Amino acid sequence: GQQLNQSPQSMFIQEGEDVSMNCTSSSIFNTWLWYKQDPGEGPVLLIALYKAGELTSNGRLTAQFGITRKDSFLNISASIPSDVGIYFCAGQPYSGGGADGLTFGKGTHLIIQP
Amino acid sequence: GAGVSQSPSNKVTEKGKDVELRCDPISGHTALYWYRQSLGQGLEFLIYFQGNSAPDKSGLPSDRFSAERTGGSVSTLTIQRTQQEDSAVYLCASSSRTGVTYEQYFGPGTRLTVT
């Protein structure tokens, strides 16, 4: 089946630093989504991307859909303590099937050091 | 408005028992999805409903797993003869068929522990 490689697995950063994480796939994806999950809760949708080359921002978050359709990155600028959590990329494979299940990366655990 | 809700939030069961997990999607969302998240892992797709029908059951890990959806709303995921490897967080998501179909909104999950 489809697999997404998400990196880094974890990040230890200082408050105020910028963060960058990415996802790659061996096959083409129609859609890239980025989610954040806090402990004990379900993932919350941050950004959705639908077009190759698309660059979308949501506050301090910026994400891009790679030109090859096989990758995406998420940047967080000027990190704050509430950014702590696990960030997941997710993709809709190019199957033309419509609302099928998403394929998820294994997550990037963001830890902010005081 | 109300988001996706799931019940129970936690379930502890003995190996071999059956369990039912419930999902209430966002009102008006016609597509519903079940995922499983094992400790420290990403989400594993289980099954998808469009209305009451399940066109994609490919992710169900074994025939002990089944799901149904009635009235185009509430869904139940049933695990029969639970095994310890079934311990995980089971997440439900829903999305609308109007506009963008790929944006899935998740509930808080049911944490299942099989002892």
Side-chain angles (χ1 to χ4, degrees):
Chain A
Q2 307 285 350
Q3 288 196 347
L4 292 181
N5 298 309
Q6 186 171 351
S7 64
Q9 190 172 26
S10 59
M11 300 183 74
F12 295 80
I13 63 166
Q14 301 283 342
E15 183 177 350
E17 289 185 6
D18 296 343
V19 172
S20 185
M21 59 191 79
N22 69 83
C23 262
T24 59
S25 168
S26 57
S27 55
I28 291 172
F29 277 69
N30 257 351
T31 301
W32 286 95
L33 305 170
W34 285 92
Y35 286 86
K36 178 176 184 273
Q37 187 175 29
D38 291 328
E41 299 184 11
V44 173
L45 182 64
L46 299 174
I47 292 180
L49 302 159
Y50 299 101
K51 190 175 175 182
E54 180 181 356
L55 184 71
T56 297
S57 293
N58 178 8
R60 294 178 296 105
L61 278 62
T62 302
Q64 184 159 30
F65 191 142
I67 290 291
T68 64
R69 295 179 170 267
K70 294 182 179 181
D71 64 323
S72 177
F73 72 74
L74 174 71
N75 287 341
I76 306 172
S77 63
S79 58
I80 60 177
S82 62
D83 291 335
V84 166
I86 302 177
Y87 292 79
F88 290 99
C89 62
Q92 172 73 40
Y94 184 69
S95 64
D100 295 326
L102 294 170
T103 299
F104 279 79
K106 293 195 173 181
T108 294
H109 193 180
L110 181 60
I111 299 161
I112 298 182
Q113 297 173 320
Chain B
V4 177
S5 61
Q6 293 185 243
S7 62
S9 54
N10 281 284
K11 176 71 177 178
V12 180
T13 189
E14 292 180 352
K15 178 181 172 182
K17 296 282 180 68
D18 298 351
V19 294
E20 283 190 355
L21 313 179
R22 176 187 167 108
C23 172
D24 276 280
I26 292 172
S27 177
H29 279 191
T30 56
L32 185 148
Y33 309 78
W34 284 98
Y35 293 85
R36 178 169 70 175
Q37 185 175 30
S38 300
L39 186 65
Q41 297 295 311
L43 279 69
E44 174 191 6
F45 169 70
L46 298 179
I47 189 170
Y48 144 65
F49 287 91
Q50 180 54 45
N52 290 335
S53 64
D56 187 357
K57 301 181 182 179
S58 61
L60 292 176
S62 77
D63 58 7
R64 297 186 295 105
F65 287 71
S66 63
E68 65 176 14
R69 189 181 186 195
T70 55
S73 182
V74 172
S75 175
T76 302
L77 177 69
T78 301
I79 310 173
Q80 296 178 307
R81 305 181 304 281
T82 52
Q83 304 293 313
Q84 287 185 332
E85 62 262 27
D86 299 335
S87 296
V89 176
Y90 290 82
L91 290 155
C92 173
S94 70
S95 69
S96 171
R97 285 294 282 182
T98 59
V100 176
T101 63
Y102 304 128
E103 294 180 12
Q104 298 180 17
Y105 297 89
F106 284 83
T110 294
R111 180 175 297 278
L112 175 65
T113 304
V114 182
T115 62

